[in-house]
């Protein structure tokens, strides 16, 4: 199993640009999570999906952030327009139904907005 | 108020020492996770607990549901155990997640 695959590994963009982060969960996992990690706030859950449906997006910072999961094998996190304070490492994780399985994390995308 | 509190925040140990990291939480949970974040940034799930105790190699995780407390123990610590250890809980209502701020462990040879 290839594990959770995130792309890109690094993204550097200018303020105001649109950024799209991608995640491919482990096959058979029906829960997918997007996290953000910063020095100031640590690890934060942004949104998670069960069976491709967003369940809790209360962690999404503001309307500039949006996440989609069009099918069981792909999810995107989009920031439009990006701002310097969005600079962070964004992790995607997948698991079997919440409360029943390990969280399997991708390697993360390090985003720098200048 | 943080729903999940970890202690200590930083921990330095000599190789071979027994290490304990504590996690207390204030919400009802369906599961508690211990995560390890390597110096390179990658995150690995070490344990998922809903009761009792689990052991994997030199790592032991325990949880006391009544006291809302979990501990992660590392026996015979090794420099390669140096990492940040994060406690995370899934609530039993609304499936929300809360994270501790992490414990940074450094094991000195």
């Amino acid at each position: 199993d290839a594990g959770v695959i995130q792309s890109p590994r690094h993204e550097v963009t200018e303020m105001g640009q649109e950024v799209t982060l991608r995640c491919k969960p482990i096959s058979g996992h029906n829960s997918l999570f997007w996290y953000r990690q910063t020095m100031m706030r640590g690890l934060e859950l942004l949104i998670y999906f069960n069976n491709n449906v967003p369940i809790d997006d209360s962690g999404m910072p503001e309307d500039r952030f949006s996440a989609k999961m069009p099918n069981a094998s792909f999810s995107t996190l989009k920031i439009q327009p990006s701002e310097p304070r969005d600079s962070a490492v964004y992790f995607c994780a997948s698991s079997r139904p919440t409360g029943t399985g390990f969280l399997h994390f991708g390697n993360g995308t390090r985003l720098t907005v200048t | 108020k943080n729903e999940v509190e970890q202690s200590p925040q930083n921990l330095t140990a000599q190789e071979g020492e027994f290490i304990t990291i504590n996690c207390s939480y204030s919400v009802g949970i369906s599961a508690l996770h211990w995560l390890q974040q390597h110096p390179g940034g990658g995150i690995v799930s070490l344990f998922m607990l809903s009761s009792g105790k689990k052991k994997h190699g030199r790592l032991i995780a325990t949880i006391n549901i009544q006291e809302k407390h979990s501990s992660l123990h590392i026996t015979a610590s090794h420099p390669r155990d140096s990492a940040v250890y994060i406690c995370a809980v899934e609530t039993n209502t609304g499936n929300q997640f809360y994270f501790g701020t992490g414990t940074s462990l450094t094991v000195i040879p």
Side-chain angles (χ1 to χ4, degrees):
Chain A
D1 195 330
V4 176
I5 299 172
Q6 287 187 247
S7 64
R9 289 297 305 275
H10 303 273
E11 177 80 34
V12 180
T13 190
E14 292 184 346
M15 183 173 66
Q17 297 298 306
E18 177 179 294
V19 175
T20 299
L21 311 181
R22 297 173 175 80
C23 177
K24 177 177 167 54
I26 291 174
S27 178
H29 284 188
N30 63 346
S31 295
L32 183 140
F33 308 81
W34 282 102
Y35 301 87
R36 177 173 68 175
Q37 187 175 42
T38 61
M39 289 291 292
M40 291 294 293
R41 300 172 68 91
L43 195 63
E44 303 172 278
L45 178 66
L46 300 177
I47 184 171
Y48 81 93
F49 296 83
N50 274 351
N51 296 316
N52 312 340
V53 176
I55 301 301
D56 182 1
D57 65 355
S58 59
M60 295 284 263
E62 47 196 273
D63 292 345
R64 298 184 298 105
F65 285 67
S66 63
K68 293 183 179 180
M69 192 165 186
N71 57 62
S73 59
F74 183 66
S75 178
T76 59
L77 178 67
K78 186 177 293 187
I79 308 172
Q80 166 64 18
S82 57
E83 297 183 4
R85 61 193 167 117
D86 302 330
S87 298
V89 180
Y90 291 81
F91 288 99
C92 175
S94 71
S95 77
R96 290 182 289 118
T98 54
T100 67
F102 273 171
L103 296 165
H104 295 259
F105 283 81
N107 288 327
T109 295
R110 182 173 295 277
L111 173 65
T112 303
V113 183
T114 60
Chain B
K1 179 185 181 300
N2 293 330
E3 287 79 2
V4 178
E5 299 276 1
Q6 275 186 247
S7 64
Q9 279 194 310
N10 295 285
L11 181 57
T12 300
Q14 288 292 132
E15 183 172 357
E17 285 186 8
F18 180 85
I19 289 162
T20 296
I21 300 171
N22 295 298
C23 175
S24 295
Y25 54 92
S26 58
V27 295
I29 68 169
S30 61
L32 181 143
H33 297 259
W34 280 103
L35 311 173
Q36 180 193 52
Q37 185 165 31
H38 302 296
I43 299 177
V44 173
S45 185
L46 298 174
F47 294 103
M48 192 195 74
L49 295 163
S50 55
S51 65
K53 175 180 174 179
K54 288 189 176 180
K55 185 175 188 290
H56 185 257
R58 294 180 296 105
L59 301 178
I60 302 166
T62 63
I63 188 168
N64 184 318
I65 297 294
Q66 287 71 31
E67 295 185 4
K68 295 189 173 177
H69 181 268
S70 175
S71 293
L72 176 68
H73 305 286
I74 305 175
T75 61
S77 59
H78 191 276
R80 64 175 175 266
D81 298 325
S82 299
V84 174
Y85 293 84
I86 301 169
C87 173
V89 301
E90 296 181 53
T91 65
N92 55 12
T93 56
N95 285 127
Q96 291 186 295
F97 286 77
Y98 297 100
F99 295 88
T101 52
T103 295
S104 178
L105 171 65
T106 302
V107 181
I108 300 170

